[in-house]
Amino acid sequence: MILGHLFGLYTHPKQEWRAIDKEHEGIQSSLSHILLIALLPPIFAFISSVFIGWRIGVGAPIYLTQGSALAMSVAMYFALIAGVFALAYLTYWMSHTFGSTPTYTQALELAAYTATPLFMVSIAAIYPQVWFLMIAGLIGIAYSVYLLYTGVPILMHIPEERGFIYASSIVTCGLVLLVSIIAGSVILWNLGIGPQFSH
Protein backbone atom coordinates (compact mmCIF):
# COMPACT_ATOMS: atom_id res chain seq x y z
CA MET A 1 0.00 0.00 0.00
CA ILE A 2 1.42 3.37 -1.02
CA LEU A 3 2.48 5.38 2.06
CA GLY A 4 1.17 2.58 4.25
CA HIS A 5 4.18 2.61 6.57
CA LEU A 6 4.52 6.37 6.78
CA PHE A 7 2.68 6.94 10.08
CA GLY A 8 4.41 4.01 11.77
CA LEU A 9 7.89 5.21 10.81
CA TYR A 10 7.20 8.42 12.74
CA THR A 11 5.43 6.95 15.76
CA HIS A 12 7.14 3.56 16.34
CA PRO A 13 9.98 3.15 13.82
CA LYS A 14 11.50 -0.12 15.08
CA GLN A 15 8.16 -1.95 15.01
CA GLU A 16 7.42 -0.48 11.58
CA TRP A 17 10.78 -1.64 10.20
CA ARG A 18 9.93 -5.14 11.44
CA ALA A 19 6.57 -4.92 9.67
CA ILE A 20 8.30 -3.78 6.45
CA ASP A 21 10.78 -6.64 6.79
CA LYS A 22 8.00 -9.15 7.36
CA GLU A 23 5.79 -8.01 4.48
CA HIS A 24 8.38 -7.14 1.77
CA GLU A 25 5.73 -5.72 -0.54
CA GLY A 26 8.12 -5.74 -3.51
CA ILE A 27 9.84 -3.30 -5.78
CA GLN A 28 6.55 -1.91 -7.15
CA SER A 29 5.46 -0.70 -3.72
CA SER A 30 8.84 0.91 -3.01
CA LEU A 31 8.85 2.53 -6.45
CA SER A 32 5.34 3.92 -5.94
CA HIS A 33 6.40 5.32 -2.57
CA ILE A 34 9.51 6.99 -4.05
CA LEU A 35 7.67 8.44 -7.06
CA LEU A 36 4.99 9.95 -4.81
CA ILE A 37 7.16 11.27 -1.95
CA ALA A 38 9.79 12.69 -4.35
CA LEU A 39 7.09 15.00 -5.77
CA LEU A 40 7.03 17.07 -2.56
CA PRO A 41 10.38 18.94 -2.84
CA PRO A 42 9.89 20.00 -6.51
CA ILE A 43 6.28 21.08 -5.93
CA PHE A 44 7.06 23.21 -2.88
CA ALA A 45 10.24 24.58 -4.47
CA PHE A 46 8.20 25.64 -7.51
CA ILE A 47 5.48 27.29 -5.42
CA SER A 48 7.93 29.17 -3.22
CA SER A 49 10.21 30.36 -6.04
CA VAL A 50 7.40 31.52 -8.38
CA PHE A 51 4.61 32.74 -6.08
CA ILE A 52 6.12 33.51 -2.66
CA GLY A 53 9.71 34.55 -3.42
CA TRP A 54 12.91 33.71 -1.58
CA ARG A 55 14.25 36.15 0.97
CA ILE A 56 18.00 36.24 1.45
CA GLY A 57 18.83 38.84 4.07
CA VAL A 58 16.80 42.03 4.22
CA GLY A 59 16.39 42.65 0.46
CA ALA A 60 13.32 42.23 -1.67
CA PRO A 61 12.14 38.67 -2.37
CA ILE A 62 13.69 36.87 -5.34
CA TYR A 63 11.37 35.19 -7.84
CA LEU A 64 12.04 32.78 -10.70
CA THR A 65 10.18 32.73 -14.00
CA GLN A 66 7.62 29.93 -14.26
CA GLY A 67 9.51 28.25 -17.10
CA SER A 68 12.81 28.30 -15.24
CA ALA A 69 11.25 27.08 -11.98
CA LEU A 70 9.41 24.29 -13.81
CA ALA A 71 12.58 23.09 -15.54
CA MET A 72 14.49 23.11 -12.25
CA SER A 73 11.65 21.30 -10.46
CA VAL A 74 11.55 18.54 -13.08
CA ALA A 75 15.33 18.17 -12.89
CA MET A 76 15.12 18.04 -9.09
CA TYR A 77 12.46 15.32 -9.21
CA PHE A 78 14.53 13.02 -11.40
CA ALA A 79 17.71 13.77 -9.43
CA LEU A 80 15.98 12.80 -6.17
CA ILE A 81 14.68 9.53 -7.64
CA ALA A 82 18.09 8.74 -9.14
CA GLY A 83 19.69 9.51 -5.77
CA VAL A 84 17.44 7.05 -3.95
CA PHE A 85 18.15 4.31 -6.50
CA ALA A 86 21.89 5.01 -6.35
CA LEU A 87 21.84 4.86 -2.54
CA ALA A 88 19.93 1.57 -2.71
CA TYR A 89 22.52 0.16 -5.12
CA LEU A 90 25.40 1.23 -2.87
CA THR A 91 23.61 -0.30 0.13
CA TYR A 92 23.18 -3.55 -1.80
CA TRP A 93 26.78 -3.47 -3.08
CA MET A 94 28.24 -3.01 0.43
CA SER A 95 26.03 -5.63 2.08
CA HIS A 96 28.35 -8.63 1.67
CA THR A 97 31.14 -6.74 3.44
CA PHE A 98 28.96 -6.62 6.56
CA GLY A 99 27.76 -10.22 6.38
CA SER A 100 24.34 -9.46 4.92
CA THR A 101 22.71 -10.93 1.83
CA PRO A 102 19.73 -8.70 1.02
CA THR A 103 17.90 -8.52 -2.29
CA TYR A 104 18.00 -5.24 -4.20
CA THR A 105 14.33 -4.79 -3.23
CA GLN A 106 15.27 -4.79 0.48
CA ALA A 107 17.99 -2.21 -0.18
CA LEU A 108 15.50 -0.09 -2.14
CA GLU A 109 12.96 -0.30 0.70
CA LEU A 110 15.61 0.89 3.14
CA ALA A 111 16.64 3.81 0.89
CA ALA A 112 13.05 4.80 0.06
CA TYR A 113 11.73 4.88 3.61
CA THR A 114 14.90 6.45 4.99
CA ALA A 115 14.71 9.34 2.50
CA THR A 116 11.06 10.04 3.34
CA PRO A 117 11.56 12.52 6.27
CA LEU A 118 14.11 14.46 4.24
CA PHE A 119 11.64 14.79 1.35
CA MET A 120 8.73 15.65 3.61
CA VAL A 121 10.42 18.61 5.32
CA SER A 122 10.36 20.33 1.93
CA ILE A 123 6.92 21.56 3.03
CA ALA A 124 8.96 24.18 4.93
CA ALA A 125 9.65 25.89 1.57
CA ILE A 126 6.22 27.52 1.94
CA TYR A 127 8.08 29.88 4.31
CA PRO A 128 11.20 30.46 2.18
CA GLN A 129 13.54 31.98 4.72
CA VAL A 130 17.06 30.53 4.64
CA TRP A 131 17.38 30.15 8.44
CA PHE A 132 14.01 28.38 8.69
CA LEU A 133 14.81 26.02 5.83
CA MET A 134 18.20 25.20 7.37
CA ILE A 135 16.55 24.24 10.66
CA ALA A 136 13.87 22.16 8.88
CA GLY A 137 16.52 20.49 6.72
CA LEU A 138 18.63 19.57 9.74
CA ILE A 139 15.58 18.04 11.44
CA GLY A 140 14.78 16.03 8.29
CA ILE A 141 18.37 14.81 7.92
CA ALA A 142 18.57 13.90 11.61
CA TYR A 143 15.40 11.81 11.47
CA SER A 144 16.41 10.17 8.19
CA VAL A 145 19.74 9.15 9.75
CA TYR A 146 17.90 7.86 12.83
CA LEU A 147 15.61 5.76 10.62
CA LEU A 148 18.65 4.41 8.79
CA TYR A 149 20.42 3.38 12.00
CA THR A 150 17.30 1.67 13.34
CA GLY A 151 16.36 0.06 10.03
CA VAL A 152 19.67 -1.39 8.86
CA PRO A 153 19.96 -4.16 11.50
CA ILE A 154 16.32 -5.17 11.00
CA LEU A 155 16.13 -5.15 7.18
CA MET A 156 19.66 -6.43 6.60
CA HIS A 157 19.37 -9.12 9.32
CA ILE A 158 22.63 -8.33 11.06
CA PRO A 159 23.57 -7.56 14.71
CA GLU A 160 23.13 -3.96 15.86
CA GLU A 161 26.89 -3.41 16.35
CA ARG A 162 27.62 -4.37 12.76
CA GLY A 163 24.52 -2.50 11.63
CA PHE A 164 25.92 0.69 13.16
CA ILE A 165 29.07 0.50 11.03
CA TYR A 166 27.02 -0.47 7.95
CA ALA A 167 24.63 2.45 8.47
CA SER A 168 27.58 4.82 8.95
CA SER A 169 28.97 3.66 5.59
CA ILE A 170 25.59 4.31 3.95
CA VAL A 171 25.48 7.81 5.48
CA THR A 172 28.93 8.50 4.02
CA CYS A 173 27.77 7.30 0.58
CA GLY A 174 24.65 9.45 0.89
CA LEU A 175 26.77 12.54 1.61
CA VAL A 176 28.96 11.78 -1.40
CA LEU A 177 25.84 11.48 -3.59
CA LEU A 178 24.49 14.77 -2.23
CA VAL A 179 27.76 16.57 -2.94
CA SER A 180 27.80 15.03 -6.45
CA ILE A 181 24.29 16.35 -7.17
CA ILE A 182 25.26 19.82 -5.90
CA ALA A 183 28.46 19.77 -7.97
CA GLY A 184 26.43 18.73 -11.04
CA SER A 185 24.10 21.69 -10.46
CA VAL A 186 27.05 24.10 -10.23
CA ILE A 187 28.53 22.72 -13.47
CA LEU A 188 25.18 23.18 -15.25
CA TRP A 189 24.95 26.76 -13.96
CA ASN A 190 28.44 27.47 -15.29
CA LEU A 191 27.37 26.11 -18.67
CA GLY A 192 24.54 28.64 -18.74
CA ILE A 193 21.73 26.26 -17.72
CA GLY A 194 20.68 28.09 -14.59
CA PRO A 195 17.72 29.91 -13.08
CA GLN A 196 16.09 32.86 -14.78
CA PHE A 197 14.84 35.51 -12.43
CA SER A 198 11.64 37.48 -12.92
CA HIS A 199 11.66 41.21 -12.23
Side-chain angles (χ1 to χ4, degrees), residues 174-186:
L175 290 173
V176 170
L177 280 170
L178 182 61
V179 170
S180 300
I181 291 170
I182 292 169
S185 301
V186 171

Side-chain angles (χ1 to χ4, degrees), residues 18-76:
R18 290 190 188 98
I20 291 167
D21 183 51
K22 186 178 178 183
E23 293 168 12
H24 282 308
E25 295 168 343
I27 199 163
Q28 187 176 356
S29 178
S30 298
L31 183 60
S32 301
H33 180 86
I34 295 165
L35 294 176
L36 193 59
I37 288 292
L39 281 170
L40 295 178
I43 287 171
F44 287 107
F46 179 84
I47 292 169
S48 65
S49 61
V50 173
F51 301 108
I52 303 171
W54 286 75
R55 289 192 176 272
I56 301 169
V58 293
I62 299 168
Y63 297 90
L64 295 182
T65 62
Q66 287 195 18
S68 177
L70 182 62
M72 292 180 73
S73 296
V74 170
M76 180 193 292

Side-chain angles (χ1 to χ4, degrees), residues 11-164:
T11 55
H12 43 81
K14 285 190 176 181
Q15 295 93 316
E16 201 60 37
W17 279 125
R18 290 190 188 98
I20 291 167
D21 183 51
K22 186 178 178 183
E23 293 168 12
H24 282 308
E25 295 168 343
I27 199 163
Q28 187 176 356
S29 178
S30 298
L31 183 60
S32 301
H33 180 86
I34 295 165
L35 294 176
L36 193 59
I37 288 292
L39 281 170
L40 295 178
I43 287 171
F44 287 107
F46 179 84
I47 292 169
S48 65
S49 61
V50 173
F51 301 108
I52 303 171
W54 286 75
R55 289 192 176 272
I56 301 169
V58 293
I62 299 168
Y63 297 90
L64 295 182
T65 62
Q66 287 195 18
S68 177
L70 182 62
M72 292 180 73
S73 296
V74 170
M76 180 193 292
Y77 180 66
F78 287 109
L80 292 173
I81 293 168
V84 172
F85 274 93
L87 190 61
Y89 176 76
L90 290 169
T91 302
Y92 177 72
W93 177 70
M94 290 187 296
S95 61
H96 299 292
T97 307
F98 297 95
S100 177
T101 55
T103 62
Y104 181 75
T105 302
Q106 285 171 273
L108 186 61
E109 284 175 334
L110 182 70
Y113 290 116
T114 298
T116 298
L118 192 55
F119 291 175
M120 290 189 73
V121 295
S122 63
I123 296 169
I126 291 297
Y127 183 64
Q129 298 282 346
V130 175
W131 65 268
F132 180 70
L133 292 169
M134 295 262 306
I135 292 170
L138 285 172
I139 292 169
I141 289 170
Y143 199 75
S144 285
V145 169
Y146 171 72
L147 282 181
L148 182 66
Y149 278 97
T150 55
V152 163
I154 296 168
L155 280 189
M156 301 294 123
H157 305 134
I158 54 176
E160 285 196 10
E161 315 81 58
R162 207 180 306 158
F164 180 84

